[in-house]
Amino acid sequence: MDTLPPELIRLRDEGQLTVRALWAWKLVPESTAGVAMEFRALGLDLISADRAQLASWLGQADEGQLDLGEAQRDVLGQLISRMDEGLPSGEQPALETSVAQEPSVVETNTAGKGEGKDLGEMISDLGAQADGGDPKAKVSLAIALRAGIGGSPDPVRSVALLEGAAAAGDADAMALLADEYETGLWVPQDAEKAGQLRRNAAQAGSQLAQWGLE
C-alpha cells in the first residue's frame, strides 16, 4: 500500500512531485534545509528538484562531476526513497548513473577540489539579495530562518520575508504564508486570509496551493 498522501501520489503520477511538495507535508529529512542552502551555493535548486533531478545529481557525484559529501548524498537518497514509497520494486525508476547535464556550477581550486561557501556567507548573500528586493531570495532566506540554518530560528523575520515576497507576487511565498495564517503560530490565526492567499497562490501557478484548495 502506498504510504504517501493521496495528493502527493497524484503529483507523482503526473510527474510533478518535487522536494517542495514533500517539504509541505513535512516528509523530508531534518537536514534538508541545510543541504538546500549548500546546493544553492553550487547553483543548484534542491527544493524544486524532482526525482529525476535528484537521481541525476547522485549520478554526477558518482562520476566525479559533482562534489557532494556523504551527508548530502544521504539526503538525496532519502528524498528519492520517500518519492518512491509504495511503488512495487519493479516500478521504481533506476537511479541514473550516467547523465548528460551541464556540470555543477561550483568553483574549483588549483587542486580541483570543490570550494563552496559556508552557511554564514550563504545567509549573508541571501540577505543582500532579499534586501535588494529579490522575491525568490526572500523565500529561500525565510525557509532558512524558519529552520534555524546558520543560527537560531527566527520565525518572526521569516514571516516578514514571506509577506514581502508574497506582496511581490511570488506564488511559493503566498502558499507558505497561507500555512502560517492557517496555523496561527507566528501571526494571528486568520482562516479567511489563509484561504485568500492560497487561492492567489493557485492562480499564480502554485501546484501545492492548487491541490490544497481541492
Side-chain angles (χ1 to χ4, degrees):
M1 179 178 292
D2 207 314
T3 57
L4 287 176
E7 294 88 349
L8 298 188
I9 296 173
R10 185 168 78 243
L11 287 180
R12 183 175 67 191
D13 291 343
E14 295 172 351
Q16 299 182 37
L17 181 58
T18 64
V19 175
R20 191 185 308 281
L22 294 179
W23 185 294
W25 284 85
K26 299 178 174 60
L27 295 176
V28 297
E30 291 184 5
S31 57
T32 300
V35 172
M37 295 296 294
E38 294 165 359
F39 270 51
R40 183 181 175 87
L42 301 177
L44 306 175
D45 185 358
L46 177 63
I47 300 301
S48 298
D50 59 11
R51 189 198 186 283
Q53 182 63 80
L54 297 175
S56 176
W57 286 333
L58 281 178
Q60 288 183 352
D62 289 342
E63 293 186 353
Q65 299 174 7
L66 184 60
D67 186 14
L68 297 182
E70 287 303 315
Q72 294 169 325
R73 292 182 187 223
D74 182 60
V75 166
L76 294 184
Q78 289 185 59
L79 291 170
I80 289 172
S81 295
R82 179 68 78 178
M83 289 181 175
D84 287 347
E85 280 187 359
L87 286 175
S89 58
E91 295 183 15
Q92 294 179 4
L95 290 179
E96 297 287 343
T97 57
S98 178
V99 294
Q101 296 192 353
E102 294 183 3
S104 154
V105 183
V106 57
E107 296 179 0
T108 56
N109 58 21
T110 54
K113 176 75 174 176
E115 183 177 11
K117 300 177 182 178
D118 61 29
L119 286 177
E121 189 175 355
M122 283 185 270
I123 295 294
S124 179
D125 286 350
L126 277 177
Q129 294 169 27
D131 289 343
D134 183 345
K136 292 298 183 185
K138 289 182 180 181
V139 173
S140 295
L141 183 57
I143 291 173
L145 292 174
R146 191 73 164 80
I149 303 301
S152 300
D154 191 347
V156 174
R157 187 183 174 202
S158 174
V159 169
L161 287 164
L162 291 177
E163 293 273 14
D170 187 275
D172 292 331
M174 294 178 204
L176 292 170
L177 195 57
D179 292 338
E180 295 291 349
Y181 277 100
E182 190 169 62
T183 61
L185 291 177
W186 303 105
V187 292
Q189 192 170 30
D190 189 332
E192 183 177 350
K193 186 168 185 177
Q196 185 60 57
L197 281 165
R198 196 163 281 120
R199 287 189 291 274
N200 291 344
Q203 292 173 1
S206 170
Q207 182 67 47
L208 292 177
Q210 287 170 12
W211 54 249
L213 290 171
E214 296 178 0

